[in-house]
Structures are given as structure tokens and as C-alpha cells.
Amino acid sequence: CKETLMKTKAMTLLTLSQRAWEKFWETSKSPASHASNVKKLLATLGKGRDIRKISTEDIEKACNTWLKEGASEKTCNRRLAALSRMLKWAERRRWIERRPYIERFKETGGRRRWQTDEEEAEMVRLLEEAGHPRYAQFVVFLAETGLRRGEALGLSWDNIDLDEGWIRLWVTKGGTPRSVPMTAKVFNLLVELSAPGVAGDYYGPWVSVKPSSFTDAWNAARKKMGLAGDSGFTPHCLRHGFASRLVQIGVSIVAVKELLGHAKIETTLIYAHLAPKNLSEALGEFERSRNG
């Protein structure tokens, strides 16, 4: 078997991912989510990487890169699961002799970190002071829409309906299109960005926002805020903040689920404990029904 492997032409990670896509994910329930994971694996490990030479150390370095970019441990685990499935299949097909050990993160169900109003305002101020006004606007946009960073970065002007005040998302992580209404702040921001002569953003509002550069600017501002050791204070906390505030003001969990684009209600239920008023009102209704 080893001799057969040695004579086999080297397969790249790109080729393996294309074959795995056709076999496992193309007709799955959430192809967009799988596509996102595979795309990130290719970008980090390299499209031309010989799959026989992918080591545990390479995978650990990739994880460190993702964490520095602001990915959660849960997101890293999804990417690792995709890589593990591809390499396990490659091992069975004898394209590799043995797949490397892949250690996944232990996920905790602890409190989701979200930004306070003061932290958000300070982040915006520091980004503007550092010469990143577009990044500051991007922070406001994420906080006011609850969009995933990747969803926001992928927006084109065709996705934005300024006449009706809606953002239309056709390709999402959950695989289901959704629409998100604009707040007045988001509407005014997009009107400003859509004005003729706004350099670098002819395709969409956030074309000039480069993920790695934005993460570096965020981390630099976070350090100035005295939050360098707060690993939970990432751009993704803006999405948690959006959801948390909605629940706290009494918006139904079902509506929050639709706005966030969660595939399962269980994902949205992590915010349910933030609605004590709703629970009190529900218990009051129960008590009144019992007392006639």
C-alpha cells in the first residue's frame, strides 16, 4: 500500500476539496456554510498544498490564524470538521497514507460577550483617530444590522434596496436567503456611501474593507481600550450585541431568529434568558388564568 501511495501523483488541497464538495456538500441542506468553511481552509492552508504534507502543526497554525482574525472556537471547529472529513476520505481512498491528528477546541456554553454602548462608541472613535473612517463606519453597520462580517463584506449594491429600506441577502451561512430592514442610521450611512465618487466602493459599500487589515485595526484599538486580554471582544460581539438588545426590549425570539438568519431556533435561544420581563408577564398570564 505504501508503495502504491508513493507512486500516486500528488493531490492538492484544492483538488481534494472539489471532489469532496461533489461527494458530501453540494446537495447538503446548508451548502453555503460548507462552502465558507472550505474557502477558509484553502485560503489558510493553501490551494496548492500537497495533501500528503499537511501536518498537525500546519493545522494548529491555521487555527491560531483564525483566532487572531476574530473567529470563535465554534467556527474553528466547523472548519476543522470539514478538513477532517476530507482527509479521512482521502485516507480511505489511499490518496494519503495517514491523516494528521486534528485536535478540536472544547466549546463552552458560557456567556456571550457583547459590546456596551460605551465600548462601541470608543471603538468607533479610536478607529477614526487612527485614520480608518471606513472601518469605523463598518463597526456601526455591523452593530445596527447584526450581519455576520462575511455577509456584510460580500454585499453588492444589488443587495441593497434604498427605496424600500431593506438589505437582501441571497447567499447566507444557513443557506436560506433573508432580508434585514435598515435602521435610520444604516440607511443614512448607505446613502452616503452610495454617492457618486466614493472611491473603491463601486461594487458594494464595504469593498475597501480588507478582513485582515480590519482585524488588525480592531485589535490595536482594543489594546488602547485596555481590553487586550479580553479574547471575547471581537467584531463578532457586535452581532451578539444586536441580538441581545432586541431580546431585552421584548422582540420575540422567532423574530430575532429571522433577523440573524439562524437555521435552528435552538441557536437563538441562547439569548432567551435576557428577557426576564417576558417571562414575568407570561407567569402573570398563567396566574390570572388559574385564578379565573
Side-chain angles (χ1 to χ4, degrees):
C1 293
K2 187 177 292 186
E3 185 177 346
T4 302
L5 283 164
M6 294 298 292
K7 292 181 179 179
T8 302
K9 183 179 179 181
M11 180 182 292
T12 65
L13 184 58
L14 175 61
T15 300
L16 176 61
S17 68
Q18 290 171 336
R19 295 186 181 185
W21 174 261
E22 294 175 355
K23 182 172 179 61
F24 301 119
W25 300 312
E26 188 172 23
T27 58
S28 65
K29 292 183 179 180
S30 53
S33 177
H34 293 303
S36 176
N37 291 331
V38 171
K39 182 179 180 181
K40 199 63 182 180
L41 286 167
L42 292 173
T44 311
L45 293 172
K47 295 180 180 180
R49 176 68 67 91
D50 184 340
I51 61 173
R52 298 174 301 183
K53 297 180 180 179
I54 296 176
S55 66
T56 297
E57 184 179 1
D58 293 329
I59 297 168
E60 290 176 348
K61 287 180 179 179
C63 287
N64 289 332
T65 297
W66 299 333
L67 291 172
K68 289 178 181 178
E69 291 174 349
S72 66
E73 293 179 347
K74 185 176 181 180
T75 296
C76 290
N77 279 345
R78 290 198 191 100
R79 295 168 184 170
L80 292 175
L83 179 62
S84 178
R85 188 169 193 180
M86 288 193 291
L87 293 177
K88 185 176 182 179
W89 184 48
E91 184 180 41
R92 288 178 176 175
R93 296 297 301 269
R94 301 190 184 283
W95 295 329
I96 59 175
E97 182 178 353
R98 181 180 299 171
R99 65 185 184 276
Y101 173 70
I102 299 178
E103 183 177 5
R104 302 189 193 183
F105 292 96
K106 182 178 180 181
E107 297 177 21
T108 61
R111 175 182 180 272
R112 263 62 177 181
R113 170 73 155 94
W114 64 84
Q115 83 289 3
T116 64
D117 291 339
E118 292 75 19
E119 287 172 340
E120 182 182 329
E122 183 68 359
M123 174 60 70
V124 169
R125 184 185 70 80
L126 289 171
L127 289 173
E128 289 176 341
E129 283 187 356
H132 302 300
R134 187 58 53 84
Y135 292 174
Q137 292 172 322
F138 190 54
V139 167
V140 173
F141 181 83
L142 293 177
E144 291 275 324
T145 62
L147 266 63
R148 300 177 179 90
R149 182 167 55 166
E151 291 175 337
L153 291 174
L155 288 175
S156 72
W157 289 113
D158 290 337
N159 297 116
I160 296 168
D161 186 348
L162 289 173
D163 292 331
E164 298 293 333
W166 288 85
I167 298 170
R168 315 289 185 184
L169 298 164
W170 307 116
V171 179
T172 66
K173 182 178 179 180
T176 303
R178 77 179 190 277
S179 296
V180 178
M182 301 178 195
T183 63
K185 188 177 292 187
V186 168
F187 176 81
N188 291 333
L189 177 58
L190 291 175
V191 168
E192 177 185 342
L193 294 177
S194 65
V198 179
D201 292 303
Y202 298 110
Y203 173 79
W206 310 115
V207 172
S208 62
V209 176
K210 305 305 178 186
S212 59
S213 179
F214 173 70
T215 299
D216 290 342
W218 174 283
N219 289 337
R222 182 176 71 175
K223 185 176 181 180
K224 290 182 179 180
M225 293 169 66
L227 298 174
D230 187 348
S231 60
F233 190 62
T234 68
H236 194 70
C237 74
L238 300 171
R239 179 170 163 84
H240 290 314
F242 176 79
S244 301
R245 287 172 173 80
L246 287 175
V247 173
Q248 287 173 330
I249 62 176
V251 177
S252 74
I253 287 292
V254 173
V256 175
K257 171 185 177 295
E258 295 303 314
L259 287 168
L260 293 177
H262 286 157
K264 298 179 180 179
I265 191 67
E266 288 81 3
T267 306
T268 320
L269 285 174
I270 62 173
Y271 303 103
H273 70 285
L274 298 172
K277 181 179 178 182
N278 291 355
L279 296 178
S280 298
E281 290 177 352
L283 192 60
E285 290 293 334
F286 171 78
E287 189 174 23
R288 283 190 288 275
S289 70
R290 296 278 289 177
N291 295 333

